[in-house]
Amino acid sequence: MQTNAADTINAPASEFLDSFIDEAKAADFLCQSVRTVQKWRVTGFGPKFYKSGRSIRYRRRDLLTWGDERRRKSTSASAL
């Protein structure tokens, strides 16, 4: 079954958020380099990920949750 861009755009939000993306798309989603995301994964700092064999995948929902956990009102605000 092939999907095209129109099908992806019209997919339900939950399906979009729960779909898997590779590390390059995850890095782009987070406005970071692939290398930074790789370092985060090694140190345990970054968002949750899935590993199957040598493949690394992220869910958009996990990326959003991870980003939301780091929201601050100011640069001097401490971590919660």
Side-chain angles (χ1 to χ4, degrees), residues 34-51:
V34 171
R35 188 67 188 127
T36 296
V37 173
Q38 290 170 342
K39 286 180 186 178
W40 288 348
R41 196 169 56 243
V42 169
T43 62
F45 175 75
K48 295 178 183 178
F49 64 94
Y50 299 84
K51 184 172 182 178

Side-chain angles (χ1 to χ4, degrees), residues 18-21 41 47-62:
D18 287 331
S19 63
F20 289 103
I21 58 175
R41 196 169 56 243
K48 295 178 183 178
F49 64 94
Y50 299 84
K51 184 172 182 178
S52 176
R54 295 177 71 186
S55 293
I56 301 295
R57 296 292 182 262
Y58 293 87
R59 282 195 172 149
R60 288 180 182 94
R61 183 180 308 279
D62 293 336

Side-chain angles (χ1 to χ4, degrees), residues 12 40 65 70:
W40 288 348
T65 300
R70 279 144 189 81

